[in-house]
Amino acid sequence: MDAPTGPTFRDATDADVNDLVALVESAYRGDASRAGWTTEADILDGQRTDPEGVRQVIKTPDSRLLVVEREGRIIACCQLEHRGTHAYFGMFAVSPTLQGAGLGKAVMAEAERLARADWGATEMHMTVISVRDDLIAWYERRGYRRTGETTPFPYGDERFGVPRRPDLRFELLVKSLV
């Protein structure tokens, strides 16, 4: 019997949109997300993304949606966007049943490598919902630092979910890539 193959990385295509929406939703929303530790089910209802949002990331110049597959199945993804001297990291999702086994670390390492190699990025930026202490701590262990810079959560725009609490905002986290 052959050993399971490791993950492979590639850029998303339009054919991946529905699978990517399902992956992102499963990692963050609803009861299925509770199988992993990245769930936002206690702070947000509604959707995390939709087909139009995923297609937009795929089509945007200086942006890529990195797909991670194992044995032909999409198991993780992340968005990278070139923004001058830095890259933006977003739409990060790992299948809930595969969380906690090092896959997320591997995806981040590849994203950081690509941002440096393809765009010469010297920093990676991301925004995280500020009340996600466990997630922020995970990023801090990977070299990201809190900046204290926040932006408001888009209350009333259900494309980003339906908040279950009034104190949500995004905080900018930054990591040096040099």
Side-chain angles (χ1 to χ4, degrees), residues 66 139 146:
L66 192 62
Y139 287 128
R146 298 181 86 154

Side-chain angles (χ1 to χ4, degrees), residues 48-131:
R48 180 69 159 25
T49 193
D50 55 32
E52 295 78 34
V54 172
R55 258 189 224 95
Q56 183 178 349
V57 172
I58 292 170
K59 299 289 186 206
T60 298
D62 285 330
S63 178
R64 66 195 301 180
L65 187 49
L66 192 62
V67 170
V68 186
E69 292 179 310
R70 182 180 291 143
E71 298 173 0
R73 188 171 72 92
I74 295 175
I75 58 172
C77 68
C78 70
Q79 169 193 8
L80 291 171
E81 188 174 313
H82 185 203
R83 296 183 179 176
T85 60
H86 74 272
Y88 177 80
F89 179 84
M91 204 179 290
F92 183 32
V94 173
S95 177
T97 59
L98 299 175
Q99 292 176 15
L103 181 58
K105 289 183 229 177
V107 173
M108 289 198 78
E110 179 64 3
E112 292 165 1
R113 186 193 71 75
L114 288 170
R116 278 191 307 270
D118 294 354
W119 298 324
T122 59
E123 285 184 336
M124 186 76 85
H125 291 196
M126 72 171 73
T127 55
V128 180
I129 296 173
S130 61
V131 299

Side-chain angles (χ1 to χ4, degrees), residues 23-30 32-44 48 92-100 104 128-129 132 134-136 138-139:
L23 170 68
V24 171
E25 293 299 308
S26 75
Y28 292 98
R29 296 290 195 274
S33 69
R34 294 180 193 282
W37 67 273
T38 61
T39 183
E40 294 173 344
D42 293 329
I43 59 173
L44 291 159
R48 180 69 159 25
F92 183 32
V94 173
S95 177
T97 59
L98 299 175
Q99 292 176 15
V128 180
I129 296 173
R132 296 292 319 274
D134 54 346
L135 187 58
I136 291 170
W138 189 86
Y139 287 128

